Amino acid sequence: MIAVWMTTVALACTTFTVVQQSQRESALSWPRVRQTPSALISISQPSVDDFTSTSVRGKMAIEVSSLRGVPDFRGTANFTGDAVLDRAERTVRIGPITVPALRVETAPEHADAATSALTSALAGVTLTVAFDDLIAVMRTASFPDPHPLPDCSGTRSVVMLQVNDPLPPEGTIPVRWLGTPAFESVLEGRLEGAVNCSSTLLREPNGRHLLLHAGRWLEARSLTAPQWTWITSDALPAVLLDISETSRFGSALSAVPGTLHSRIAELARYMASPVPAPGDPSCNGNDWWWNPWSLRWVAACTAPTPTLPADLPVDHKIEPRTPADSDAFQPDPVRDNLLVGLDGRVYRRRGESLDQSTPTGGWRPFTTERSVLRILRAESNARDAAQAVRRTWKNWCMHDAEMKPATRCDSTASLGSRPLRTNQFLAMAAPPVRGGEDEIVDDGNPPTDSEALPRSPADSPSPPKP
């Protein structure tokens, strides 16, 4: 049922038809090939060694065939290229590509010819890569140095209001409730979260309340305290690290330094983009929340009767874009999407098994070095997880387009029921606490498409009535 529905509904991220969107997604798959006058060049999905706000450096497996006078060969190419983030399409354009080093796996005596053929095929090429395909295979060290939001200091006035109460004085943070404040368990015995509140508000068993505002945290010992104190990023309670990304409060992880969600947010905030995202929210401005689907800050609505100002820079106003003509490599569904090991060797996946490239150009089962096997399987799982995130992002696009302006004031409703699932990415955050409502799906049984669908506000459970 879900599969039929997804193929018959045009995606709201663009104004393309279903056929055009299908072509676009196919254009992002791996491996990709290019026919040059002298050879057929195949490149597999890259692994990233270093990703900054302006460039990407990594490795990718390559295969070259039909090179005149030279046997077919495969190997590992190091590459670099400038990086530009297209938030509307959730893609990164890398280029122009340069190849500073090439390791020829087979026929090493023809390394010069291989280098020449590959360099010629990649000259001036820019690759369009799904953002999730890159970050899913990145290790923690591959991300740029942490660059969190500047800390706030001092205190802020916070006032608790019902939905239709008038606005408080300027400079005061309004927290709106639908009825009597109600909390549910986030981490059993360790953390609760407000379920009928306009803001992300958490509570520890000792009575400490934690309020997320404009990407930073405030604390108070009482829900009705008139003054709340800003918490510096190095003083946040450790319990926040254990929030499950599948929890309705999982979006808070983008504001918890050290989590994978925060590293992704920090990277996306500063990447070059054709349409720059709004600047970082200030300590004393209106509330803004980080939308992990659109990779940008979104201003929250503060009107008593929630409406969306026409001039508000919201994420659903997305212009259609097409891949640039410089994408000279085209997907080839027949070839294998090869892997590069930490040893620089080339591998291929066969179900649950792995084969290693041989010097003669063939393949042999690889079962010896367990550490290499473990890493290669982890990268294979990360690649699959990136595709799952991409599918869920498309579901969110449809969910976002269907939302009414009033519900955009609620970050939880705007995000759907779940943020990104990154528990299979290589640089995954600290493993969440098991048990209770927030238990993550077992790694061996990833969610189905229907499970990954963000719920509409109508599907979300109603808050308790006062």
Side-chain angles (χ1 to χ4, degrees), residues 247-248 289 293 396 399-400 403 410-419 453-457 460:
S247 163
R248 71 162 70 191
W289 50 275
W293 297 118
W396 174 82
H399 161 86
D400 181 66
M403 289 189 64
D410 181 348
S411 63
T412 301
S414 298
L415 286 173
S417 64
R418 297 173 179 173
L453 280 171
R455 299 173 189 164
S456 68
S460 301

Side-chain angles (χ1 to χ4, degrees), residues 19-157:
V19 173
Q20 288 171 313
Q21 182 65 39
S22 175
Q23 292 172 345
R24 171 182 297 280
E25 291 306 310
S26 175
L28 295 174
S29 62
W30 301 95
R32 303 180 192 177
V33 299
R34 182 182 188 183
Q35 179 70 62
T36 70
S38 62
L40 179 67
I41 314 292
S42 172
I43 59 176
S44 288
Q45 184 173 343
S47 57
V48 179
D49 295 328
D50 185 48
F51 197 167
T52 70
S53 60
T54 58
S55 65
V56 174
R57 178 175 60 85
K59 301 180 184 70
M60 55 187 171
I62 57 100
E63 290 185 299
V64 178
S65 57
S66 305
L67 182 58
R68 295 171 186 170
V70 174
D72 296 350
F73 62 86
R74 68 179 65 96
T76 302
N78 290 55
F79 74 92
T80 61
D82 295 336
V84 177
L85 174 64
D86 187 334
R87 292 181 174 85
E89 295 296 335
R90 204 175 174 86
T91 58
V92 179
R93 293 190 57 76
I94 305 173
I97 297 290
T98 60
V99 181
L102 173 65
R103 180 184 187 274
V104 178
E105 184 83 4
T106 56
E109 65 274 17
H110 298 291
D112 290 343
T115 301
S116 176
L118 185 65
T119 302
S120 175
L122 288 170
V125 166
T126 299
L127 297 174
T128 301
V129 184
F131 178 74
D132 299 293
D133 280 355
L134 293 174
I135 61 172
V137 298
M138 290 169 60
R139 294 167 178 81
T140 302
S142 303
F143 285 86
D145 292 335
H147 195 159
L149 292 174
D151 282 334
C152 303
S153 59
T155 62
R156 283 290 301 276
S157 297

Side-chain angles (χ1 to χ4, degrees), residues 40-385:
L40 179 67
I41 314 292
S42 172
I43 59 176
S44 288
Q45 184 173 343
S47 57
V48 179
D49 295 328
D50 185 48
F51 197 167
T52 70
S53 60
T54 58
S55 65
V56 174
R57 178 175 60 85
K59 301 180 184 70
M60 55 187 171
I62 57 100
E63 290 185 299
V64 178
S65 57
S66 305
L67 182 58
R68 295 171 186 170
V70 174
D72 296 350
F73 62 86
R74 68 179 65 96
T76 302
N78 290 55
F79 74 92
T80 61
D82 295 336
V84 177
L85 174 64
D86 187 334
R87 292 181 174 85
E89 295 296 335
R90 204 175 174 86
T91 58
V92 179
R93 293 190 57 76
I94 305 173
I97 297 290
T98 60
V99 181
L102 173 65
R103 180 184 187 274
V104 178
E105 184 83 4
T106 56
E109 65 274 17
H110 298 291
D112 290 343
T115 301
S116 176
L118 185 65
T119 302
S120 175
L122 288 170
V125 166
T126 299
L127 297 174
T128 301
V129 184
F131 178 74
D132 299 293
D133 280 355
L134 293 174
I135 61 172
V137 298
M138 290 169 60
R139 294 167 178 81
T140 302
S142 303
F143 285 86
D145 292 335
H147 195 159
L149 292 174
D151 282 334
C152 303
S153 59
T155 62
R156 283 290 301 276
S157 297
V158 177
V159 60
M160 303 294 158
L161 303 171
Q162 287 299 307
V163 171
N164 294 317
D165 287 347
L167 282 172
E170 186 175 352
T172 300
I173 298 175
V175 177
R176 297 187 177 279
W177 297 85
L178 181 60
T180 303
F183 289 78
E184 69 175 23
S185 175
V186 180
L187 296 166
E188 187 174 357
R190 303 169 61 201
L191 194 67
E192 295 180 320
V195 296
N196 59 338
C197 177
S198 64
S199 305
T200 298
L201 197 154
L202 306 173
R203 182 173 66 186
E204 294 184 280
N206 60 9
R208 184 189 194 188
H209 289 74
L210 306 167
L211 174 66
L212 182 59
H213 179 82
R216 291 94 161 179
W217 296 89
L218 299 108
E219 66 173 341
R221 288 293 172 180
S222 167
L223 189 62
T224 56
Q227 294 292 319
W228 291 54
T229 304
W230 291 108
I231 311 174
T232 59
S233 55
D234 60 355
L236 289 177
V239 68
L240 297 179
L241 289 166
D242 291 335
I243 296 175
S244 168
E245 61 181 359
T246 60
S247 163
R248 71 162 70 191
F249 304 98
S251 58
L253 291 170
S254 295
V256 181
T259 64
L260 177 54
H261 292 267
S262 70
R263 288 194 290 270
I264 294 172
E266 289 171 9
L267 173 63
R269 276 166 52 210
Y270 289 101
M271 283 192 68
S273 177
V275 182
D280 290 342
S282 66
C283 298
N284 297 314
N286 291 332
D287 190 16
W288 289 68
W289 50 275
W290 176 257
N291 187 322
W293 297 118
S294 60
L295 301 174
R296 71 180 73 194
W297 287 102
V298 180
C301 177
T302 55
T305 301
T307 58
L308 191 67
D311 58 348
L312 190 66
V314 295
D315 294 313
H316 70 293
K317 296 178 181 178
I318 296 174
E319 298 297 328
R321 289 174 173 81
T322 57
D325 293 336
S326 59
D327 280 13
F329 284 81
Q330 300 300 318
D332 184 345
V334 177
R335 292 176 177 265
D336 289 301
N337 188 16
L338 303 176
L339 295 147
V340 177
L342 292 179
D343 54 1
R345 302 292 295 273
V346 177
Y347 299 82
R348 69 177 182 182
R349 179 168 59 172
R350 284 290 182 270
E352 295 299 317
S353 302
L354 287 163
D355 293 339
Q356 184 185 60
S357 177
T358 66
T360 59
W363 298 94
R364 64 185 173 206
F366 183 70
T367 58
T368 52
E369 301 175 49
R370 293 185 179 179
S371 59
V372 176
L373 277 170
R374 184 172 62 252
I375 292 171
L376 288 170
R377 285 170 178 159
E379 181 155 336
S380 294
N381 291 337
R383 288 180 174 185
D384 294 341

